[in-house]
Amino acid sequence: MKEYRRTSFLMELAPDTYQFLKDLKPIALLYALVLGLMVILSMFFQWSFIKFFLDCMMGWTLLSIPFVGGIIVAFDKEFTVEDYSYSHKEHHKAKRFKFSTVWGVLLCIAGTASLYYSSVYKKYYGFLCQEFYLEQNTGIYHIIDDCEYIGIDEDDEPIDKPIIVRISGKELLETDHKLCEVCEEWAEEAEATAAEYQYRRP
């Protein structure tokens, strides 16, 4: 009596990881529903709790990477082979295995692209929600309220009675206001430090 099994290119590539992600399928579907709801809400509202969910669930995070892997496995195309021919060289020449290879590679590319673009959207939404400090005298806005360059013009001269107003990132869209160079450098350093801390092994 012949024995059969289900397989695919991705399954043969990393069988243990594939099975682990396959077991996560129900959680991945729930994850997709919650994330989809948060993305829809983010198109209409700039709320801190939405930003919190997007920060955790989008981009290159420890939650989003397994989730995308689970979605890839959920959409993978498995096919049936006879057990005895599972590791035979002829099996890898079959059209269905070639199709599985192309499909699996496309899924991985789509998954990587989704991680990248979700990271871009997460940063964009974070900008919309963030509060800045705008100098109305110069049109320069700052990230931190105690920036040493608040009240200093482009020639490094102090401004008499600088007018500072709080403004959201959404209000800065479609304006010609410029970000303070010192604040920009500070933000880049803070982001690099945060990324290093996140991926540093204990």
Side-chain angles (χ1 to χ4, degrees):
M1 183 177 180
K2 293 182 178 179
E3 295 183 2
Y4 299 89
R5 67 164 63 188
R6 302 283 293 173
T7 189
S8 72
F9 166 73
L10 294 178
M11 185 184 293
E12 292 195 18
L13 193 65
D16 293 337
T17 302
Y18 189 97
Q19 187 58 49
F20 171 75
L21 293 175
K22 193 172 183 179
D23 293 338
L24 292 180
K25 182 178 178 180
I27 300 176
L29 294 177
L30 177 61
Y31 190 106
L33 289 174
V34 174
L35 179 57
L37 176 61
M38 291 298 111
V39 170
I40 292 173
L41 289 175
S42 72
M43 296 177 180
F44 302 97
F45 308 103
Q46 284 74 49
W47 293 342
S48 58
F49 88 92
I50 297 177
K51 181 179 181 298
F52 170 78
F53 275 99
L54 295 186
D55 285 342
C56 295
M57 302 176 74
M58 298 183 78
W60 306 91
T61 67
L62 296 178
L63 282 178
S64 59
I65 293 175
F67 157 68
V68 171
I71 295 297
I72 288 174
V73 169
F75 282 95
D76 190 31
K77 303 292 185 181
E78 298 179 8
F79 57 91
T80 304
V81 293
E82 293 183 16
D83 197 29
Y84 75 88
S85 64
Y86 178 70
S87 59
H88 196 273
K89 291 182 179 180
E90 293 300 320
H91 161 61
H92 295 82
K93 296 179 181 179
K95 289 183 178 180
R96 56 187 177 180
F97 187 82
K98 291 180 180 178
F99 170 79
S100 178
T101 301
V102 173
W103 181 249
V105 171
L106 289 176
L107 285 176
C108 290
I109 293 174
T112 303
S114 68
L115 288 171
Y116 171 77
Y117 286 108
S118 67
S119 179
V120 171
Y121 181 76
K122 178 174 69 173
K123 290 181 180 179
Y124 169 74
Y125 186 77
F127 173 81
L128 295 182
C129 296
Q130 189 169 348
E131 187 177 76
F132 298 95
Y133 302 89
L134 173 67
E135 290 186 73
Q136 291 187 333
N137 312 63
T138 63
I140 296 176
Y141 63 94
H142 304 263
I143 297 176
I144 50 180
D145 60 352
D146 59 348
C147 174
E148 60 183 293
Y149 273 75
I150 289 181
I152 304 295
D153 63 18
E154 294 182 354
D155 298 322
D156 292 336
E157 296 294 330
I159 300 173
D160 184 34
K161 297 181 180 180
I163 302 174
I164 311 297
V165 296
R166 291 185 179 182
I167 189 171
S168 68
K170 183 179 179 180
E171 295 174 285
L172 286 172
L173 292 179
E174 300 180 1
T175 68
D176 57 356
H177 299 314
K178 297 180 181 179
L179 175 61
C180 167
E181 293 182 359
V182 175
C183 288
E184 185 176 11
E185 292 177 0
W186 173 84
E188 290 174 353
E189 291 177 1
E191 186 176 349
T193 302
E196 181 182 356
Y197 176 80
Q198 180 179 358
Y199 296 106
R200 182 186 299 165
R201 294 183 178 181

